[in-house]
Amino acid sequence: NAGVTQTPKFQVLKTGQSMTLQCAQDMNHNSMYWYRQDPGMGLRLIYYSASEGTTDKGEVPNGYNVSRLNKREFSLRLESAAPSQTSVYFCASSEQGSGNQPQHFGDGTRLSIL
Amino acid sequence: DQQVKQNSPSLSVQEGRISILNCDYTNSMFDYFLWYKKYPAEGPTFLISISSIKDKNEDGRFTVFLNKSAKHLSLHIVPSQPGDSAVYFCAAEDSNYQLIWGAGTKLIIKP
């Protein structure tokens, strides 16, 4: 029973390199989310996908792109990585975007940009 | 401006006693409030939630209280156990179904 799977778990990049973070869920959820967590701060929403085929910007979308490949998979791409994007990235999914359908999280990708 | 605030970065409680974690918010239009628990190197896991139309929700050792007039909610854990040591996040759902998160409180349960 995997839930939400994120790959890779760790990555170090040089400034200017590109990278795609992968996320897959096996709970048949409609909604998927990408967050970043920085020290001393709560999670901040980067992008979300309310359903297959749709994506919307969250609070901090600049420097990122996303693709909802199918119902299971939602990827996050950094086209030209910057040191400010050093963070822990979490993917989440939920049945629908509502508080009575809580979000389920992966274990995160720890990304360092040098 | 932070719409959801957890003013205590950490809290230390004796095993068996009550743990009380607090959260304040500024937006009176939030529909749901949720508590998540996070262990190191893992993602947050859902703990308990409360609708804005209620003032209390209980699930086993965990109770969440909502005081809308004060824009304040609290999570009570009774009795506290060593496995409860974790970071606890308060989150509020806005009208777009997006979660606004507090910065978290690290709970340490002392044996």
Side-chain angles (χ1 to χ4, degrees):
Chain A
N1 200 6
V4 178
T5 302
Q6 291 184 236
T7 55
K9 294 189 184 302
F10 303 94
Q11 186 69 49
V12 178
L13 294 177
K14 294 182 178 178
T15 298
Q17 286 186 316
S18 62
M19 168 160 195
T20 300
L21 280 60
Q22 307 286 354
C23 175
Q25 53 94 5
D26 62 3
M27 295 171 282
N28 202 36
H29 285 165
N30 288 310
S31 301
M32 298 186 73
Y33 313 82
W34 276 106
Y35 292 92
R36 62 178 287 173
Q37 187 194 10
D38 299 300
M41 300 182 70
L43 280 69
R44 291 183 293 167
L45 184 65
I46 304 171
Y47 271 93
Y48 68 101
S49 171
S51 61
E52 186 179 354
T54 69
T55 61
D56 287 287
K57 294 178 180 179
E59 180 186 355
V60 289
N62 291 345
Y64 305 95
N65 286 302
V66 290
S67 296
R68 183 75 183 265
L69 305 170
N70 47 56
K71 192 171 185 180
R72 288 187 65 248
E73 298 171 289
F74 189 38
S75 63
L76 178 72
R77 183 161 177 85
L78 287 71
E79 289 292 351
S80 178
S84 61
Q85 294 177 305
T86 293
S87 189
V88 181
Y89 291 85
F90 289 102
C91 177
S93 70
S94 66
E95 177 61 30
Q96 64 183 54
S98 173
N100 64 352
Q101 300 284 349
Q103 296 177 19
H104 298 257
F105 285 81
D107 285 339
T109 294
R110 284 144 188 83
L111 186 61
S112 293
I113 316 296
L114 305 178
Chain B
D1 63 332
Q2 285 183 285
Q3 295 189 66
V4 178
K5 293 182 182 179
Q6 293 178 258
N7 291 318
S8 299
S10 66
L11 174 68
S12 186
V13 175
Q14 202 74 35
E15 181 179 356
R17 299 289 186 101
I18 183 172
S19 295
I20 300 176
L21 296 100
N22 294 304
C23 180
D24 296 298
Y25 61 95
T26 57
N27 187 344
S28 59
M29 300 302 291
F30 286 141
D31 294 321
Y32 267 95
F33 301 89
L34 303 91
W35 286 94
Y36 282 79
K37 175 180 179 180
K38 185 183 180 303
Y39 293 119
E42 295 184 8
T45 56
F46 171 72
L47 198 55
I48 192 169
S49 65
I50 187 167
S51 166
S52 60
I53 63 173
K54 297 191 175 182
D55 55 19
K56 178 183 174 181
N57 189 26
E58 190 172 354
D59 184 1
R61 297 187 297 116
F62 303 92
T63 303
V64 56
F65 295 92
L66 176 62
N67 182 334
K68 287 189 289 292
S69 61
K71 295 191 178 70
H72 177 84
L73 66 155
S74 60
L75 174 68
H76 293 211
I77 306 173
V78 183
S80 299
Q81 299 175 354
D84 296 330
S85 294
V87 176
Y88 289 79
F89 289 97
C90 168
E93 182 185 275
D94 68 14
S95 56
N96 294 317
Y97 304 121
Q98 293 184 23
L99 292 182
I100 311 299
W101 295 73
T105 296
K106 183 175 183 179
L107 177 64
I108 301 164
I109 306 301
K110 299 179 293 185

